[in-house]
PDB file of all heavy atoms in Angstrom:
ATOM      1  N   TYR A  67      11.836   0.299  -7.298  1.00 98.00           N
ATOM      2  CA  TYR A  67      12.344   1.471  -8.063  1.00 98.00           C
ATOM      3  C   TYR A  67      13.438   2.140  -7.632  1.00 98.00           C
ATOM      4  O   TYR A  67      14.259   2.733  -8.251  1.00 98.00           O
ATOM      5  CB  TYR A  67      10.982   2.415  -8.310  1.00 98.00           C
ATOM      6  CG  TYR A  67      10.896   3.515  -7.283  1.00 98.00           C
ATOM      7  CD1 TYR A  67      11.327   4.716  -7.545  1.00 98.00           C
ATOM      8  CD2 TYR A  67      10.475   3.151  -5.964  1.00 98.00           C
ATOM      9  CE1 TYR A  67      11.184   5.814  -6.501  1.00 98.00           C
ATOM     10  CE2 TYR A  67      10.322   4.215  -5.058  1.00 98.00           C
ATOM     11  CZ  TYR A  67      10.686   5.456  -5.354  1.00 98.00           C
ATOM     12  OH  TYR A  67      10.673   6.481  -4.255  1.00 98.00           O
ATOM     13  N   ASP A  71      14.176   4.055  -0.535  1.00 98.00           N
ATOM     14  CA  ASP A  71      12.871   4.677  -0.142  1.00 98.00           C
ATOM     15  C   ASP A  71      12.297   3.966   1.020  1.00 98.00           C
ATOM     16  O   ASP A  71      12.017   2.703   0.969  1.00 98.00           O
ATOM     17  CB  ASP A  71      11.869   4.554  -1.449  1.00 98.00           C
ATOM     18  CG  ASP A  71      10.560   5.125  -1.091  1.00 98.00           C
ATOM     19  OD1 ASP A  71       9.987   4.815  -0.066  1.00 98.00           O
ATOM     20  OD2 ASP A  71       9.965   5.834  -2.070  1.00 98.00           O
ATOM     21  N   PHE A  73       9.445   3.646   2.560  1.00 98.00           N
ATOM     22  CA  PHE A  73       8.178   2.961   2.442  1.00 98.00           C
ATOM     23  C   PHE A  73       8.426   1.659   1.679  1.00 98.00           C
ATOM     24  O   PHE A  73       7.948   0.565   2.118  1.00 98.00           O
ATOM     25  CB  PHE A  73       7.178   3.923   1.838  1.00 98.00           C
ATOM     26  CG  PHE A  73       5.939   3.266   1.618  1.00 98.00           C
ATOM     27  CD1 PHE A  73       5.120   2.884   2.622  1.00 98.00           C
ATOM     28  CD2 PHE A  73       5.342   2.913   0.361  1.00 98.00           C
ATOM     29  CE1 PHE A  73       3.841   2.253   2.582  1.00 98.00           C
ATOM     30  CE2 PHE A  73       4.198   2.255   0.212  1.00 98.00           C
ATOM     31  CZ  PHE A  73       3.450   1.923   1.301  1.00 98.00           C
ATOM     32  N   ILE A  74       9.161   1.727   0.545  1.00 98.00           N
ATOM     33  CA  ILE A  74       9.429   0.638  -0.268  1.00 98.00           C
ATOM     34  C   ILE A  74      10.356  -0.455   0.459  1.00 98.00           C
ATOM     35  O   ILE A  74      10.082  -1.625   0.294  1.00 98.00           O
ATOM     36  CB  ILE A  74      10.012   1.026  -1.555  1.00 98.00           C
ATOM     37  CG1 ILE A  74       9.070   1.975  -2.357  1.00 98.00           C
ATOM     38  CG2 ILE A  74      10.629  -0.067  -2.498  1.00 98.00           C
ATOM     39  CD1 ILE A  74       7.838   1.405  -2.840  1.00 98.00           C
ATOM     40  N   ASN A 153       2.651  -0.465  -6.209  1.00 97.00           N
ATOM     41  CA  ASN A 153       3.003   0.903  -5.848  1.00 97.00           C
ATOM     42  C   ASN A 153       2.959   2.012  -6.944  1.00 97.00           C
ATOM     43  O   ASN A 153       2.653   3.034  -6.771  1.00 97.00           O
ATOM     44  CB  ASN A 153       4.198   0.822  -4.914  1.00 97.00           C
ATOM     45  CG  ASN A 153       4.779   2.219  -4.686  1.00 97.00           C
ATOM     46  OD1 ASN A 153       5.655   2.763  -5.332  1.00 97.00           O
ATOM     47  ND2 ASN A 153       4.152   2.872  -3.654  1.00 97.00           N
ATOM     48  N   ARG A 154       3.497   1.669  -8.004  1.00 97.00           N
ATOM     49  CA  ARG A 154       3.648   2.609  -9.269  1.00 97.00           C
ATOM     50  C   ARG A 154       2.742   1.973 -10.320  1.00 97.00           C
ATOM     51  O   ARG A 154       3.244   1.008 -10.973  1.00 97.00           O
ATOM     52  CB  ARG A 154       4.974   2.826  -9.608  1.00 97.00           C
ATOM     53  CG  ARG A 154       5.759   3.426  -8.324  1.00 97.00           C
ATOM     54  CD  ARG A 154       7.354   3.410  -8.416  1.00 97.00           C
ATOM     55  NE  ARG A 154       7.795   4.403  -9.161  1.00 97.00           N
ATOM     56  CZ  ARG A 154       8.169   5.675  -8.862  1.00 97.00           C
ATOM     57  NH1 ARG A 154       8.060   6.068  -7.477  1.00 97.00           N
ATOM     58  NH2 ARG A 154       8.780   6.554  -9.721  1.00 97.00           N
ATOM     59  N   GLU A 172      -2.504   1.159  -3.104  1.00 97.00           N
ATOM     60  CA  GLU A 172      -3.410   1.815  -2.269  1.00 97.00           C
ATOM     61  C   GLU A 172      -4.385   2.720  -3.068  1.00 97.00           C
ATOM     62  O   GLU A 172      -3.938   3.360  -3.997  1.00 97.00           O
ATOM     63  CB  GLU A 172      -2.648   2.741  -1.168  1.00 97.00           C
ATOM     64  CG  GLU A 172      -1.701   1.855  -0.254  1.00 97.00           C
ATOM     65  CD  GLU A 172      -0.764   2.875   0.252  1.00 97.00           C
ATOM     66  OE1 GLU A 172       0.129   3.161  -0.301  1.00 97.00           O
ATOM     67  OE2 GLU A 172      -0.954   3.473   1.513  1.00 97.00           O
ATOM     68  N   HIS A 215       4.041  10.437 -10.484  1.00 93.00           N
ATOM     69  CA  HIS A 215       3.432   9.347  -9.631  1.00 93.00           C
ATOM     70  C   HIS A 215       1.963   9.664  -9.523  1.00 93.00           C
ATOM     71  O   HIS A 215       1.531  10.698  -9.123  1.00 93.00           O
ATOM     72  CB  HIS A 215       4.086   9.328  -8.324  1.00 93.00           C
ATOM     73  CG  HIS A 215       3.928   8.064  -7.539  1.00 93.00           C
ATOM     74  ND1 HIS A 215       2.680   7.609  -7.166  1.00 93.00           N
ATOM     75  CD2 HIS A 215       4.850   7.093  -6.966  1.00 93.00           C
ATOM     76  CE1 HIS A 215       2.778   6.513  -6.539  1.00 93.00           C
ATOM     77  NE2 HIS A 215       4.082   6.264  -6.464  1.00 93.00           N
ATOM     78  N   ASP A 217      -0.053   8.844  -7.469  1.00 93.00           N
ATOM     79  CA  ASP A 217      -0.570   9.279  -6.107  1.00 93.00           C
ATOM     80  C   ASP A 217      -0.417  10.704  -5.568  1.00 93.00           C
ATOM     81  O   ASP A 217      -1.125  11.184  -4.842  1.00 93.00           O
ATOM     82  CB  ASP A 217       0.169   8.441  -4.928  1.00 93.00           C
ATOM     83  CG  ASP A 217      -0.152   6.934  -4.943  1.00 93.00           C
ATOM     84  OD1 ASP A 217      -1.046   6.635  -5.624  1.00 93.00           O
ATOM     85  OD2 ASP A 217       0.499   6.094  -4.172  1.00 93.00           O
ATOM     86  N   ARG A 221      -3.532  12.580  -4.176  1.00 98.00           N
ATOM     87  CA  ARG A 221      -3.467  12.973  -2.738  1.00 98.00           C
ATOM     88  C   ARG A 221      -3.637  14.465  -2.501  1.00 98.00           C
ATOM     89  O   ARG A 221      -4.255  14.816  -1.587  1.00 98.00           O
ATOM     90  CB  ARG A 221      -2.156  12.339  -2.308  1.00 98.00           C
ATOM     91  CG  ARG A 221      -1.990  10.941  -2.049  1.00 98.00           C
ATOM     92  CD  ARG A 221      -0.703  10.360  -1.476  1.00 98.00           C
ATOM     93  NE  ARG A 221      -0.667   9.112  -1.373  1.00 98.00           N
ATOM     94  CZ  ARG A 221       0.417   8.320  -1.179  1.00 98.00           C
ATOM     95  NH1 ARG A 221       1.447   8.852  -0.585  1.00 98.00           N
ATOM     96  NH2 ARG A 221       0.411   6.951  -1.167  1.00 98.00           N
ATOM     97  N   TRP A 246       9.049  12.748  -2.575  1.00 98.00           N
ATOM     98  CA  TRP A 246       8.882  11.767  -1.485  1.00 98.00           C
ATOM     99  C   TRP A 246      10.101  11.921  -0.522  1.00 98.00           C
ATOM    100  O   TRP A 246      10.206  11.033   0.397  1.00 98.00           O
ATOM    101  CB  TRP A 246       8.862  10.323  -1.951  1.00 98.00           C
ATOM    102  CG  TRP A 246       7.857  10.089  -3.023  1.00 98.00           C
ATOM    103  CD1 TRP A 246       8.184   9.588  -4.181  1.00 98.00           C
ATOM    104  CD2 TRP A 246       6.531  10.093  -2.968  1.00 98.00           C
ATOM    105  NE1 TRP A 246       6.967   9.395  -5.103  1.00 98.00           N
ATOM    106  CE2 TRP A 246       5.906   9.797  -4.330  1.00 98.00           C
ATOM    107  CE3 TRP A 246       5.525  10.657  -2.060  1.00 98.00           C
ATOM    108  CZ2 TRP A 246       4.529   9.750  -4.589  1.00 98.00           C
ATOM    109  CZ3 TRP A 246       4.056  10.542  -2.374  1.00 98.00           C
ATOM    110  CH2 TRP A 246       3.721  10.167  -3.665  1.00 98.00           C
ATOM    111  N   ASN A 273       3.636  12.293   1.815  1.00 98.00           N
ATOM    112  CA  ASN A 273       4.066  11.234   2.598  1.00 98.00           C
ATOM    113  C   ASN A 273       4.786  11.487   3.802  1.00 98.00           C
ATOM    114  O   ASN A 273       5.086  12.627   4.141  1.00 98.00           O
ATOM    115  CB  ASN A 273       4.999  10.281   1.587  1.00 98.00           C
ATOM    116  CG  ASN A 273       6.306  10.756   1.369  1.00 98.00           C
ATOM    117  OD1 ASN A 273       6.702  11.910   1.650  1.00 98.00           O
ATOM    118  ND2 ASN A 273       7.265   9.897   0.960  1.00 98.00           N
ATOM    119  N   ASP A 299       1.573   7.101   4.956  1.00 98.00           N
ATOM    120  CA  ASP A 299       2.437   5.956   4.758  1.00 98.00           C
ATOM    121  C   ASP A 299       2.256   5.101   6.196  1.00 98.00           C
ATOM    122  O   ASP A 299       1.962   3.931   6.147  1.00 98.00           O
ATOM    123  CB  ASP A 299       3.902   6.047   4.356  1.00 98.00           C
ATOM    124  CG  ASP A 299       4.083   6.334   3.042  1.00 98.00           C
ATOM    125  OD1 ASP A 299       3.147   6.093   2.201  1.00 98.00           O
ATOM    126  OD2 ASP A 299       5.202   6.769   2.689  1.00 98.00           O
TER     127      ASP A 299
HETATM  128  C1  LIG B  13       3.996   6.196  -2.220  1.00 75.53           C
HETATM  129  C2  LIG B  13       4.504   6.466  -0.853  1.00 75.53           C
HETATM  130  C3  LIG B  13       5.766   7.126  -0.918  1.00 75.53           C
HETATM  131  C4  LIG B  13       6.830   6.531  -1.873  1.00 75.53           C
HETATM  132  C5  LIG B  13       6.258   6.277  -3.202  1.00 75.53           C
HETATM  133  C6  LIG B  13       7.284   5.493  -4.161  1.00 75.53           C
HETATM  134  O1  LIG B  13       2.923   5.500  -2.380  1.00 75.53           O
HETATM  135  O2  LIG B  13       3.632   7.174  -0.130  1.00 75.53           O
HETATM  136  O3  LIG B  13       6.372   7.300   0.282  1.00 75.53           O
HETATM  137  O4  LIG B  13       7.276   5.278  -1.182  1.00 75.53           O
HETATM  138  O5  LIG B  13       5.014   5.558  -3.118  1.00 75.53           O
HETATM  139  O6  LIG B  13       6.605   5.161  -5.291  1.00 75.53           O
END
Side-chain angles (χ1 to χ4, degrees):
Y67 91 103
D71 174 316
F73 178 68
I74 296 299
N153 172 262
R154 300 162 78 90
E172 294 161 278
H215 196 302
D217 290 352
R221 287 183 188 176
W246 313 117
N273 78 339
D299 280 345

